Amino acid sequence: MNDMIQVENLTKVYRSFKGAKEVKALDQISFSAAPGEFIGIMGPSGSGKTTLLNVLSGVDHPSSGEVAIAGHAMDKLKRDELALFRRRKIGYVFQDFNLLDSLTLKENVALPLILDRVAPREIEQRVDELMAFFGIADLANKYPYHVSGGQKQRAAAARAIVTNPAVCFADEPTGNLDSKSAADIMEMLTQMNEERASTILMVTHDPFAASYCKRIIFIKDGQINLQIQSAGDRKAFFDQILEILSVMRGEA
Amino acid sequence: MNLTFRHIVNQNLKYNFKRFLSYLFVNGFVVAVLFIYGSLLFNEKLAQDVSMQMVMDYISICTYAIILFSVIFVAYTGIYFVKSRGKEFSVYLTLGMTRRDLIRMIYLESLAIVAGSAVSGIIGGLLLSKLFYLILGRILGLSTDIYFISGTTYLLSLGVFVVVFLCNMLFTSVFIRRLSIIQIGKAASTKGLSKSRPILGSIAIIATAAAMYTYYGASTGEDSLFGYIIDEQYRSLIIIGSMLTIFVALYFVIPTCVDVVRAVMRMFPSLYNRHLLMMTNLKHRFFAYKVSLYMVTLLISFAIITMGFGLSFYSYTQKTINQHLPYDFMIESGAGINSVSADEVKQIVEKNGGEADDFSSLAYLYDENYRDYGKRLVHDYADSMVISESNFNRHTGLSVDVKPDELLLVSSQSDMDSAVDFDTLITVEPWRKGDERAVAFERGSVSKEKFLQSLEQTTSLSFSRDKTRTMVVHFINSYGDVEFEGVLANVVDDSVYAELKTKAQAPEYTSYLFNLKRGSGEKVYAGILDALRASNHADSSLWSSADTMFGNKDQAEALRPIYKKERFEIAFKINGLLFFSLGFLGILFLLSSSVVLYYKLVTDIDEEKEQVALLQKIGLTAAECKSYLQTHLAVVFFAPLLLGGVFGIFILSSAWSGAGANMSGFLMGRVFLMYSVFALLDVLFYMALRKKFFRGARI
């Protein structure tokens, strides 16, 4: 039970609505992630990637099966406990950044700590350090609408790990970025993973972004289709991903 | 194309239905209120009522206030409505709709709203006015049906409304022509971001403080402001100017207050962090906040002022009317008018089946009082008279002793200062001459020396301040004037009075004051009127109306005998009417403040929903979300209540401490009671909307 993420027979069924068929978004999925892993979840649209992420992060509830993050069974937690758990143990990077427009970048990064009533001096220290780490220290007092998408995503990443969470979830973090910014942010996530030993689970359909991962789980129709491990060479891993994707597309 | 275009308009109407509905409701409401007050202004049946004639000025002021208010209010909601849809409009423009088409679309929508508002407003107005007139009839004690809607009323309400709408349309076209697609795209995240304006804010705060000072000074009757002596003819101008300044400056004071709060909180990081979301939101959506806070503050203080004035007038009358009218009847005789003797009066009473009680004849000379404060001489404009010591003692049953060099100032109103810081100069001459001299003095404000020179042969008396005493005795019926002009008596030694009487060429007046022990007051009064008309060689056209202008002591019309019951009825009708119409206006302001709050809430909910969803993802607990939303709501609800309350109560209390010093405590008690009711309503409304807010934000 040393795994950071443990998923057992996870199933999520969307009830039929207005005569439409029942949809099994996740079907008996099981996998686990060790501390410090960088896992990518890939799959075509509608394969259940985002549903998986939502269930893992406690935003959505599974129909059956179990999820444990850092040894805590998510379904045992009450609503408010879950909120606190998310705040302290889970970091989240969104495709559309989800920064609050009313806060400066620095305040945005500090928000989880502020919500947790951490002492201002400590907040200051941690946030400054992280912003320097992500190379946005000089943008501290800028508002989200003043900076570029890449800079926003760096701030979002800093926010995700400011509480030193057990796991960091990333939902298409490069989806809204140009290729240069996408590469930058992936470098950052890799650095986060390697230097700070953050466990990262990233959902993406961008093979380039996925090539930064150490392991990739492909899901299709709610089930795990395939898993591959990076040997260390990113270029080779990238080619491997492309190949698998084309095969999967062919099957579809 | 036409069909497609109309289709888009229809779709738009359908999509924005809820917002249109509330917009329609607001406008309909304004039309309804305009309609009711308009109908009052043009009501031919009411125009025949005496007390209605007397308060017509107030009613028209109310109506103009309402017209002004509706212009501002409808314009505000209209502009806000168009502005809030900027994003939608920019999408149309991006998709290639021409600005002309867009404006045409908005015009068509507006037309639908105008028609809807007008129809629903007039129907609402017709229904509400039934109720309005029912209550009004009760207050006026009228048995006849006073429900009357003149055609002009329809024209007024529609006319004002259409004018406002045309202005809004003008604004819309300017707005759309200037609309920049790029800016609007960005506007979603930057809209309402405020720049701090410390200089403007400081100026506004200083202006507010100064205006409060000048308002207080001018309305409490201070003689000078900032060391400058107030010219009486500018006093009301100063009062109105100060009020305007206060309310305009408020617009800049509110944001500055928010900035100050933020700056202060920033000094305490943990406190600031705890309220980070609220504080940053305040700054970020500042424009919307500022406008709603300002509108609501303004409306609440207006509600307090209008309702407070109505309530105070009414309470004041109720409390003081007996003091101002101590006798059932009063007949003033002099200068050849109402030439009757005491015995003749008694006979008239008996002849009409009554019996007089506490009968007293009080003789006096009319005079003009000037107060010498050393540096300046002021005319004291209360009606004043000189009474001999023994006459005064006989009439009041007191036994005051006034030495030849002494003066006893007796006021019939209970706001006489016991400290005397002025010497008194009294001039005695025929009433008209004395009055004209006083008016000229006030207008010219000549120096003391010049004035004294100008007196020449006029009989006058002077008394130094250390030989002057004051006293409050309700010794006479104030002249039946509905506003209860106080009467000032200069009680002097008998020898002084006797000398004055022979020297001055002024007639002595006598007031016969008595109560009725038995018999019908109406019959006795009718008898008195007839007998006095006969003695004045006048027909029934003299004193045909109770609405007499009192004051001119040399005209028979102004010396109408005073019958307490008649004055009572008129006073209560007038004050009741004032209370009702001002109260109604106050309720209108209060309701509008709720509408603004509701609007604010509805427009905020969508933004909050997004924000809350995001915060929940980050890990905000439900309780934390609620507390954040609650603070947000509480600021919008209670800051204006507090601020509006401070200004409203300040304005009322200053007015009362000037006008009815001894009663101000009592009146302010009433006003505070009223404010508590406002606060309670606000709390209830807050609790109701809080629920909606939480539900809307999906907590």
Side-chain angles (χ1 to χ4, degrees), chain B residues 585-610:
Chain B
L585 199 60
I587 290 174
L588 168 74
F589 285 136
L590 214 56
L591 272 177
S592 322
S593 75
S594 315
V595 170
V596 174
L597 280 175
Y598 185 79
Y599 251 94
K600 168 101 188 106
L601 181 99
V602 169
T603 44
D604 277 1
I605 272 184
D606 283 335
E607 285 180 46
E608 292 305 336
K609 201 156 61 188
E610 279 172 32

mmCIF file of all heavy atoms in Angstrom, chain B residues 585-610:
data_model
loop_
_atom_site.group_PDB
_atom_site.id
_atom_site.type_symbol
_atom_site.label_atom_id
_atom_site.label_comp_id
_atom_site.label_asym_id
_atom_site.label_seq_id
_atom_site.Cartn_x
_atom_site.Cartn_y
_atom_site.Cartn_z
ATOM 1 N N LEU B 585 -43.529 58.047 -1.058
ATOM 2 C CA LEU B 585 -42.291 58.303 -1.798
ATOM 3 C C LEU B 585 -41.137 57.519 -1.169
ATOM 4 O O LEU B 585 -40.317 56.923 -1.856
ATOM 5 C CB LEU B 585 -41.992 59.797 -1.754
ATOM 6 C CG LEU B 585 -41.048 60.365 -2.784
ATOM 7 C CD1 LEU B 585 -41.583 60.141 -4.172
ATOM 8 C CD2 LEU B 585 -40.854 61.846 -2.548
ATOM 9 N N GLY B 586 -41.109 57.535 0.174
ATOM 10 C CA GLY B 586 -40.063 56.803 0.894
ATOM 11 C C GLY B 586 -40.112 55.324 0.586
ATOM 12 O O GLY B 586 -39.088 54.692 0.320
ATOM 13 N N ILE B 587 -41.338 54.786 0.583
ATOM 14 C CA ILE B 587 -41.488 53.360 0.281
ATOM 15 C C ILE B 587 -41.006 53.087 -1.129
ATOM 16 O O ILE B 587 -40.336 52.089 -1.404
ATOM 17 C CB ILE B 587 -42.958 52.930 0.458
ATOM 18 C CG1 ILE B 587 -43.304 52.948 1.941
ATOM 19 C CG2 ILE B 587 -43.194 51.540 -0.128
ATOM 20 C CD1 ILE B 587 -44.745 52.694 2.245
ATOM 21 N N LEU B 588 -41.311 54.024 -2.007
ATOM 22 C CA LEU B 588 -40.860 53.881 -3.394
ATOM 23 C C LEU B 588 -39.333 53.809 -3.467
ATOM 24 O O LEU B 588 -38.770 52.936 -4.125
ATOM 25 C CB LEU B 588 -41.376 55.065 -4.205
ATOM 26 C CG LEU B 588 -40.775 55.244 -5.583
ATOM 27 C CD1 LEU B 588 -41.327 54.198 -6.523
ATOM 28 C CD2 LEU B 588 -41.080 56.627 -6.109
ATOM 29 N N PHE B 589 -38.680 54.708 -2.748
ATOM 30 C CA PHE B 589 -37.212 54.699 -2.748
ATOM 31 C C PHE B 589 -36.682 53.383 -2.172
ATOM 32 O O PHE B 589 -35.746 52.800 -2.678
ATOM 33 C CB PHE B 589 -36.666 55.867 -1.925
ATOM 34 C CG PHE B 589 -36.782 57.184 -2.622
ATOM 35 C CD1 PHE B 589 -37.217 58.303 -1.941
ATOM 36 C CD2 PHE B 589 -36.460 57.308 -3.959
ATOM 37 C CE1 PHE B 589 -37.330 59.529 -2.587
ATOM 38 C CE2 PHE B 589 -36.567 58.520 -4.620
ATOM 39 C CZ PHE B 589 -37.001 59.634 -3.924
ATOM 40 N N LEU B 590 -37.332 52.962 -1.106
ATOM 41 C CA LEU B 590 -36.897 51.737 -0.444
ATOM 42 C C LEU B 590 -37.050 50.541 -1.388
ATOM 43 O O LEU B 590 -36.162 49.703 -1.514
ATOM 44 C CB LEU B 590 -37.753 51.536 0.810
ATOM 45 C CG LEU B 590 -37.074 50.894 1.989
ATOM 46 C CD1 LEU B 590 -35.842 51.672 2.384
ATOM 47 C CD2 LEU B 590 -38.049 50.834 3.153
ATOM 48 N N LEU B 591 -38.216 50.506 -2.048
ATOM 49 C CA LEU B 591 -38.462 49.414 -2.987
ATOM 50 C C LEU B 591 -37.435 49.442 -4.113
ATOM 51 O O LEU B 591 -36.918 48.396 -4.509
ATOM 52 C CB LEU B 591 -39.861 49.561 -3.595
ATOM 53 C CG LEU B 591 -40.990 48.901 -2.823
ATOM 54 C CD1 LEU B 591 -42.324 49.180 -3.494
ATOM 55 C CD2 LEU B 591 -40.762 47.395 -2.754
ATOM 56 N N SER B 592 -37.137 50.650 -4.583
ATOM 57 C CA SER B 592 -36.173 50.736 -5.675
ATOM 58 C C SER B 592 -34.814 50.264 -5.227
ATOM 59 O O SER B 592 -34.090 49.642 -5.997
ATOM 60 C CB SER B 592 -36.047 52.165 -6.184
ATOM 61 O OG SER B 592 -37.279 52.785 -6.174
ATOM 62 N N SER B 593 -34.469 50.570 -3.975
ATOM 63 C CA SER B 593 -33.167 50.095 -3.500
ATOM 64 C C SER B 593 -33.153 48.570 -3.509
ATOM 65 O O SER B 593 -32.149 47.953 -3.845
ATOM 66 C CB SER B 593 -32.853 50.647 -2.110
ATOM 67 O OG SER B 593 -33.589 49.989 -1.127
ATOM 68 N N SER B 594 -34.286 47.966 -3.172
ATOM 69 C CA SER B 594 -34.351 46.503 -3.225
ATOM 70 C C SER B 594 -34.203 46.014 -4.650
ATOM 71 O O SER B 594 -33.564 44.996 -4.906
ATOM 72 C CB SER B 594 -35.678 45.996 -2.669
ATOM 73 O OG SER B 594 -35.994 46.645 -1.493
ATOM 74 N N VAL B 595 -34.818 46.759 -5.582
ATOM 75 C CA VAL B 595 -34.717 46.345 -6.985
ATOM 76 C C VAL B 595 -33.257 46.388 -7.445
ATOM 77 O O VAL B 595 -32.769 45.457 -8.079
ATOM 78 C CB VAL B 595 -35.600 47.253 -7.876
ATOM 79 C CG1 VAL B 595 -35.316 46.998 -9.349
ATOM 80 C CG2 VAL B 595 -37.061 47.026 -7.573
ATOM 81 N N VAL B 596 -32.559 47.456 -7.055
ATOM 82 C CA VAL B 596 -31.150 47.561 -7.445
ATOM 83 C C VAL B 596 -30.353 46.400 -6.848
ATOM 84 O O VAL B 596 -29.549 45.759 -7.519
ATOM 85 C CB VAL B 596 -30.545 48.903 -6.992
ATOM 86 C CG1 VAL B 596 -29.052 48.947 -7.278
ATOM 87 C CG2 VAL B 596 -31.230 50.056 -7.702
ATOM 88 N N LEU B 597 -30.616 46.122 -5.573
ATOM 89 C CA LEU B 597 -29.914 45.021 -4.909
ATOM 90 C C LEU B 597 -30.210 43.704 -5.622
ATOM 91 O O LEU B 597 -29.324 42.887 -5.845
ATOM 92 C CB LEU B 597 -30.370 44.912 -3.452
ATOM 93 C CG LEU B 597 -29.737 45.893 -2.478
ATOM 94 C CD1 LEU B 597 -30.365 45.769 -1.118
ATOM 95 C CD2 LEU B 597 -28.247 45.637 -2.378
ATOM 96 N N TYR B 598 -31.459 43.542 -6.005
ATOM 97 C CA TYR B 598 -31.858 42.306 -6.657
ATOM 98 C C TYR B 598 -31.144 42.167 -7.997
ATOM 99 O O TYR B 598 -30.614 41.111 -8.329
ATOM 100 C CB TYR B 598 -33.380 42.308 -6.839
ATOM 101 C CG TYR B 598 -33.897 41.018 -7.388
ATOM 102 C CD1 TYR B 598 -34.052 39.915 -6.555
ATOM 103 C CD2 TYR B 598 -34.214 40.888 -8.729
ATOM 104 C CE1 TYR B 598 -34.507 38.720 -7.054
ATOM 105 C CE2 TYR B 598 -34.668 39.698 -9.246
ATOM 106 C CZ TYR B 598 -34.818 38.622 -8.408
ATOM 107 O OH TYR B 598 -35.262 37.432 -8.908
ATOM 108 N N TYR B 599 -31.119 43.280 -8.742
ATOM 109 C CA TYR B 599 -30.424 43.305 -10.029
ATOM 110 C C TYR B 599 -28.978 42.903 -9.859
ATOM 111 O O TYR B 599 -28.429 42.107 -10.600
ATOM 112 C CB TYR B 599 -30.438 44.731 -10.576
ATOM 113 C CG TYR B 599 -31.332 44.897 -11.759
ATOM 114 C CD1 TYR B 599 -32.636 45.322 -11.593
ATOM 115 C CD2 TYR B 599 -30.863 44.611 -13.027
ATOM 116 C CE1 TYR B 599 -33.462 45.464 -12.683
ATOM 117 C CE2 TYR B 599 -31.682 44.755 -14.124
ATOM 118 C CZ TYR B 599 -32.984 45.189 -13.944
ATOM 119 O OH TYR B 599 -33.797 45.324 -15.013
ATOM 120 N N LYS B 600 -28.360 43.512 -8.855
ATOM 121 C CA LYS B 600 -26.950 43.276 -8.601
ATOM 122 C C LYS B 600 -26.733 41.786 -8.345
ATOM 123 O O LYS B 600 -25.822 41.169 -8.878
ATOM 124 C CB LYS B 600 -26.534 44.099 -7.380
ATOM 125 C CG LYS B 600 -25.198 43.761 -6.812
ATOM 126 C CD LYS B 600 -24.155 44.765 -7.265
ATOM 127 C CE LYS B 600 -22.789 44.316 -6.844
ATOM 128 N NZ LYS B 600 -21.992 43.808 -7.922
ATOM 129 N N LEU B 601 -27.626 41.246 -7.536
ATOM 130 C CA LEU B 601 -27.501 39.849 -7.176
ATOM 131 C C LEU B 601 -27.642 38.958 -8.397
ATOM 132 O O LEU B 601 -26.837 38.064 -8.634
ATOM 133 C CB LEU B 601 -28.598 39.520 -6.161
ATOM 134 C CG LEU B 601 -28.559 38.106 -5.696
ATOM 135 C CD1 LEU B 601 -27.869 38.067 -4.362
ATOM 136 C CD2 LEU B 601 -29.937 37.547 -5.591
ATOM 137 N N VAL B 602 -28.679 39.244 -9.209
ATOM 138 C CA VAL B 602 -28.935 38.400 -10.374
ATOM 139 C C VAL B 602 -27.746 38.448 -11.337
ATOM 140 O O VAL B 602 -27.323 37.423 -11.864
ATOM 141 C CB VAL B 602 -30.234 38.851 -11.069
ATOM 142 C CG1 VAL B 602 -30.379 38.184 -12.421
ATOM 143 C CG2 VAL B 602 -31.419 38.527 -10.184
ATOM 144 N N THR B 603 -27.175 39.654 -11.518
ATOM 145 C CA THR B 603 -26.048 39.730 -12.444
ATOM 146 C C THR B 603 -24.797 39.093 -11.843
ATOM 147 O O THR B 603 -23.955 38.597 -12.567
ATOM 148 C CB THR B 603 -25.719 41.186 -12.822
ATOM 149 O OG1 THR B 603 -25.757 41.967 -11.630
ATOM 150 C CG2 THR B 603 -26.692 41.745 -13.808
ATOM 151 N N ASP B 604 -24.717 39.116 -10.535
ATOM 152 C CA ASP B 604 -23.530 38.530 -9.891
ATOM 153 C C ASP B 604 -23.559 37.012 -9.869
ATOM 154 O O ASP B 604 -22.511 36.376 -9.873
ATOM 155 C CB ASP B 604 -23.402 39.033 -8.445
ATOM 156 C CG ASP B 604 -22.727 40.382 -8.391
ATOM 157 O OD1 ASP B 604 -22.412 40.883 -9.486
ATOM 158 O OD2 ASP B 604 -22.530 40.914 -7.295
ATOM 159 N N ILE B 605 -24.767 36.464 -9.829
ATOM 160 C CA ILE B 605 -24.865 35.026 -9.593
ATOM 161 C C ILE B 605 -24.060 34.225 -10.604
ATOM 162 O O ILE B 605 -23.320 33.317 -10.243
ATOM 163 C CB ILE B 605 -26.347 34.574 -9.574
ATOM 164 C CG1 ILE B 605 -26.891 34.718 -8.160
ATOM 165 C CG2 ILE B 605 -26.490 33.141 -10.036
ATOM 166 C CD1 ILE B 605 -28.285 34.235 -7.979
ATOM 167 N N ASP B 606 -24.167 34.603 -11.892
ATOM 168 C CA ASP B 606 -23.476 33.825 -12.919
ATOM 169 C C ASP B 606 -21.968 33.838 -12.708
ATOM 170 O O ASP B 606 -21.309 32.813 -12.780
ATOM 171 C CB ASP B 606 -23.813 34.368 -14.306
ATOM 172 C CG ASP B 606 -25.192 33.905 -14.724
ATOM 173 O OD1 ASP B 606 -25.631 32.850 -14.204
ATOM 174 O OD2 ASP B 606 -25.836 34.589 -15.527
ATOM 175 N N GLU B 607 -21.452 35.035 -12.423
ATOM 176 C CA GLU B 607 -20.017 35.134 -12.195
ATOM 177 C C GLU B 607 -19.614 34.334 -10.967
ATOM 178 O O GLU B 607 -18.597 33.662 -10.950
ATOM 179 C CB GLU B 607 -19.610 36.590 -11.996
ATOM 180 C CG GLU B 607 -19.609 37.361 -13.284
ATOM 181 C CD GLU B 607 -19.216 38.801 -13.072
ATOM 182 O OE1 GLU B 607 -18.237 39.044 -12.365
ATOM 183 O OE2 GLU B 607 -19.927 39.675 -13.605
ATOM 184 N N GLU B 608 -20.458 34.430 -9.942
ATOM 185 C CA GLU B 608 -20.133 33.717 -8.707
ATOM 186 C C GLU B 608 -20.166 32.211 -8.926
ATOM 187 O O GLU B 608 -19.378 31.484 -8.339
ATOM 188 C CB GLU B 608 -21.119 34.091 -7.600
ATOM 189 C CG GLU B 608 -21.000 35.512 -7.113
ATOM 190 C CD GLU B 608 -19.600 35.869 -6.642
ATOM 191 O OE1 GLU B 608 -18.845 34.961 -6.265
ATOM 192 O OE2 GLU B 608 -19.265 37.062 -6.678
ATOM 193 N N LYS B 609 -21.101 31.782 -9.767
ATOM 194 C CA LYS B 609 -21.225 30.353 -10.017
ATOM 195 C C LYS B 609 -19.906 29.813 -10.559
ATOM 196 O O LYS B 609 -19.394 28.806 -10.085
ATOM 197 C CB LYS B 609 -22.368 30.120 -11.002
ATOM 198 C CG LYS B 609 -22.906 28.728 -10.951
ATOM 199 C CD LYS B 609 -24.330 28.621 -11.446
ATOM 200 C CE LYS B 609 -24.491 29.050 -12.876
ATOM 201 N NZ LYS B 609 -25.903 29.117 -13.282
ATOM 202 N N GLU B 610 -19.359 30.511 -11.548
ATOM 203 C CA GLU B 610 -18.080 30.088 -12.132
ATOM 204 C C GLU B 610 -16.991 30.080 -11.066
ATOM 205 O O GLU B 610 -16.222 29.141 -10.937
ATOM 206 C CB GLU B 610 -17.656 31.056 -13.235
ATOM 207 C CG GLU B 610 -18.341 30.804 -14.548
ATOM 208 C CD GLU B 610 -18.029 31.904 -15.543
ATOM 209 O OE1 GLU B 610 -16.917 32.473 -15.489
ATOM 210 O OE2 GLU B 610 -18.909 32.206 -16.364
#
